[in-house]
């Protein structure tokens, strides 16, 4: 179900639980600012999610409230994950669903990294 990105942060959301180690994830990277792990229902041969360590509902919340250090650390982590996976030359797509119309399902900011095949036109469905 899509979430309202304007709601307050819910610390029981599934990505908060992954950050606390309460449920497992197939981690690909972790640093002070971000955690990256494989999406449980991949939509491309490579489908990795990168989330900030801080409690932010969405891209909107993060861009408004996060510190400069958190924003820099998170953006660098996304780039690092893609580079380390060898995705720069073939190419990759980033997506951050925000709110109801985007069909955001998990109310903790996550950037999807899609790669591994020609990804086609930008919007579907
Ligand atoms: P979004 O629609 O942008 O909110 O995307 C949420 C994504 O989280 C979907 O692609 C789900 O497959 C993925 N997801 C949900 N639960 C898990 C989980 N426990 N581990 C990894 N990915 C998950």
């Amino acid at each position: 179900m899509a979430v309202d990105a304007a709601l307050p942060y819910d610390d029981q959301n599934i990505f908060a639980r992954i950050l606390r180690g309460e449920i497992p994830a197939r981690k690909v990277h972790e640093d002070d600012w971000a955690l990256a792990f494989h999406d449980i229902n991949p939509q491309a041969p490579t489908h990795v999610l990168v989330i900030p360590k801080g409690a932010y509902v969405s891209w909107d919340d993060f861009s408004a409230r996060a510190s400069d250090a958190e924003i820099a650390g998170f953006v660098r982590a996304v780039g690092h994950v893609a580079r380390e996976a060898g995705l720069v030359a073939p190419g990759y797509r980033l997506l951050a669903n925000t709110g109801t119309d985007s069909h955001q399902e998990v109310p903790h900011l996550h950037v999807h990294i899609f790669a591994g095949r020609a990804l086609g036109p930008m919007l579907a469905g």
Side-chain angles (χ1 to χ4, degrees):
M1 199 177 92
V3 297
D4 179 350
L7 289 176
Y9 188 79
D10 169 12
D11 70 3
Q12 293 306 309
N13 79 75
I14 196 139
F15 293 168
R17 298 185 63 202
I18 286 174
L19 280 171
R20 291 195 295 268
E22 294 171 4
I23 58 173
R26 289 175 56 216
K27 294 181 186 180
V28 299
H29 172 77
E30 182 166 14
D31 61 31
D32 288 348
W33 306 109
L35 176 67
F37 50 94
H38 292 283
D39 195 291
I40 204 166
N41 182 24
Q43 304 298 308
T46 298
H47 185 174
V48 170
L49 301 173
V50 190
I51 67 175
K53 291 253 171 115
Y56 298 100
V57 175
S58 67
W59 185 266
D60 177 68
D61 189 23
F62 186 69
S63 60
R65 291 198 306 109
S67 69
D68 289 356
E70 287 176 295
I71 291 170
F74 180 68
V75 170
R76 289 197 187 282
V78 174
H80 174 83
V81 169
R83 270 191 305 281
E84 288 298 302
L87 304 181
V88 177
Y92 62 93
R93 178 173 293 160
L94 302 181
L95 178 69
N97 290 321
T98 304
T100 310
D101 276 358
S102 77
H103 212 274
Q104 180 183 0
E105 290 183 339
V106 179
H108 181 113
L109 169 62
H110 46 286
V111 168
H112 297 255
I113 302 176
F114 300 107
R117 64 170 168 79
L119 292 165
M122 190 162 57
L123 292 175

